């Protein structure tokens, strides 16, 4: 923005070798700029007969507060959601929508399990409650983390005031994990709600995609080929250490079906999780000899 010029009909801005013209107000907005970056602009006034000299302006953007917030998280909740206020709204980086459990139905206690889809060194989580009303604002919970969604480790307890202020929980030990679980035991009105839940990794630490055995930041046919070549390889075998051990996701010192499934379920348009029936069928064991001593 700039001070109005009495004789100006329009204003022009010079930015990145382009002139933006026809600007009738004394302000103009540039979007999608990079954080922590200095930008240079030129501004001039224009009327029917004359053009002023360019006035140079330099301005710097601030740091992105969500730079290390983990993106593309998916989550499930044991409490049923209300209509379009689904649990995915809590992790979509859109602070204008909301997650809310089913109206007129007690939700507490309930659990939220977030799949980070990458192994991260956890720093903190930030919870943005609803701005109007109090129903569903989380007041008390326990936070857990896991690598395989089977073995859970306690990270700590949450005790928050039931207001619209941003809430923070810090992972003091900075654990490495793929999954985060929030077991909520108290929330206002016995519901669950929130605008956003950001989970942050420690600044500067890498994210590892489970199954990305060649570490090229993608899950593709190259990874499944590597797994096929090394299926059954275990600690102590030649070639296990180093490159191949990166693919041992559940850390049982063996390249097995659990490891391979992390890639296999993403190929050919992926596999969709659903409510299936119990595993059924039979296994027949046929010995190679009929008589044993």
């Amino acid at each position: 923005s700039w001070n109005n010029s009495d004789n100006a009909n329009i204003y022009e801005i010079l930015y990145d070798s382009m002139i933006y013209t026809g600007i009738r107000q004394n302000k103009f907005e540039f979007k999608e700029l990079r954080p922590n970056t200095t930008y240079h602009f030129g501004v001039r006034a224009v009327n029917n007969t004359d053009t002023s000299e360019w006035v140079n302006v330099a301005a710097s953007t601030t740091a992105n507060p969500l730079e290390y917030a983990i993106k593309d998280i998916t989550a499930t909740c044991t409490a049923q959601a209300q209509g379009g206020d689904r649990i995915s709204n809590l992790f979509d980086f859109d602070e204008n929508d909301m997650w809310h459990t089913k109206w007129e139905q007690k939700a507490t206690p309930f659990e939220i399990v977030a799949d980070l889809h990458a192994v991260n060194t956890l720093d903190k989580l930030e919870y943005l409650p609803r701005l109007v009303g109090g129903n569903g604002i989380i007041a008390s919970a326990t936070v857990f983390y896991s690598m395989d969604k089977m073995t859970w480790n306690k990270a700590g307890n949450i005790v928050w005031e039931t207001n619209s202020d941003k809430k923070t929980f810090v992972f003091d030990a900075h654990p490495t994990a793929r999954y985060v679980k929030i077991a909520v035991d108290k929330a206002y009105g016995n519901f669950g709600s929130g605008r956003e839940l950001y989970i942050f990794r420690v600044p500067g630490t890498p994210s590892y995609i489970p199954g990305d055995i060649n570490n090229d930041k993608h899950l593709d046919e190259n990874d499944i080929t590597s797994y096929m070549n090394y299926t059954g390889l275990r600690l102590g075998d030649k070639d296990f250490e180093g490159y191949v051990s990166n693919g041992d996701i559940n850390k049982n010192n063996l390249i097995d079906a659990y490891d391979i499934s992390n890639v296999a379920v993403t190929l050919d348009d992926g596999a969709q999780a659903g409510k299936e029936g119990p595993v059924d069928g039979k296994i027949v064991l046929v010995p190679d000899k009929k008589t044993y001593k």
Side-chain angles (χ1 to χ4, degrees):
S1 62
W2 53 90
N3 295 328
N4 272 317
S5 175
D6 294 336
N7 297 322
N9 293 336
I10 62 170
Y11 300 96
E12 294 182 334
I13 296 177
L14 175 64
Y15 167 63
D16 198 21
S17 302
M18 294 182 62
I19 294 179
Y20 296 75
T21 189
I23 303 169
R24 299 192 176 276
Q25 294 182 305
N26 62 328
K27 61 182 179 180
F28 192 79
E29 183 178 18
F30 288 88
K31 298 182 179 181
E32 299 181 2
L33 303 180
R34 295 183 299 274
N36 271 339
T37 304
T38 300
Y39 290 87
H40 297 273
F41 306 89
V43 181
R44 67 183 179 184
V46 180
N47 60 25
N48 294 334
T49 60
D50 203 5
T51 300
S52 75
E53 297 294 325
W54 289 110
V55 175
N56 295 320
V57 178
S60 298
T61 54
T62 59
N64 177 11
L66 300 178
E67 180 179 0
Y68 293 103
I70 302 166
K71 296 179 174 61
D72 301 319
I73 294 174
T74 59
T76 59
C77 181
T78 55
Q80 186 177 354
Q82 172 63 35
D85 298 335
R86 49 193 176 271
I87 189 66
S88 59
N89 291 353
L90 198 60
F91 298 92
D92 62 0
F93 280 70
D94 183 354
E95 298 177 8
N96 296 312
D97 59 18
M98 188 173 72
W99 156 70
H100 200 293
T101 59
K102 193 170 181 62
W103 300 344
E104 301 177 357
Q105 181 174 305
K106 180 182 178 181
T108 55
F110 62 86
E111 293 183 350
I112 298 172
V113 176
D115 184 351
L116 313 183
H117 295 284
V119 176
N120 295 272
T121 304
L122 302 178
D123 184 20
K124 63 181 178 178
L125 61 82
E126 291 182 351
Y127 167 64
L128 274 58
R130 60 189 300 167
L131 293 175
V132 179
N135 275 348
I137 295 179
I138 296 172
S140 175
T142 306
V143 180
F144 301 87
Y145 61 91
S146 174
M147 285 293 291
D148 56 11
K149 209 165 60 171
M150 293 181 289
T151 301
W152 293 96
N153 301 284
K154 182 178 176 180
N157 296 316
I158 283 172
V159 179
W160 287 331
E161 294 184 10
T162 51
N163 55 37
S164 61
D165 296 341
K166 179 178 71 176
K167 321 294 184 187
T168 302
F169 171 84
V170 176
F171 293 91
D172 291 327
H174 296 316
T176 299
R178 172 177 173 175
Y179 299 94
V180 173
K181 178 169 68 176
I182 303 173
V184 178
D185 55 271
K186 293 181 181 178
Y188 193 90
N190 293 321
F191 299 102
S193 70
R195 291 183 294 131
E196 207 65 33
L197 182 66
Y198 299 118
I199 302 176
F200 294 81
R201 59 187 172 92
V202 173
T205 59
S207 287
Y208 170 69
I209 302 173
D212 181 21
I213 194 169
N214 60 0
N215 205 26
D216 64 354
K217 309 302 181 184
H218 300 285
L219 296 181
D220 52 27
E221 294 289 345
N222 293 325
D223 297 304
I224 203 69
T225 297
S226 294
Y227 271 120
M228 292 300 101
N229 290 337
Y230 293 111
T231 299
L233 208 68
R234 62 180 65 240
L235 182 66
D237 292 342
K238 183 181 178 182
D239 295 332
F240 184 85
E241 294 295 330
Y243 169 76
V244 179
S245 62
N246 290 336
D248 180 19
I249 297 167
N250 57 350
K251 302 304 177 185
N252 65 344
N253 297 322
L254 172 69
I255 302 300
D256 56 15
Y258 180 93
D259 306 318
I260 298 170
S261 69
N262 283 271
V263 181
V265 297
T266 69
L267 303 181
D268 298 328
D269 298 325
Q272 301 299 319
K275 295 182 178 179
E276 304 293 343
V279 176
D280 197 6
K282 61 182 181 179
I283 297 176
V284 178
L285 179 64
V286 180
D288 61 342
K289 294 184 177 70
K290 293 183 178 181
T291 303
Y292 290 87
K293 292 183 181 179

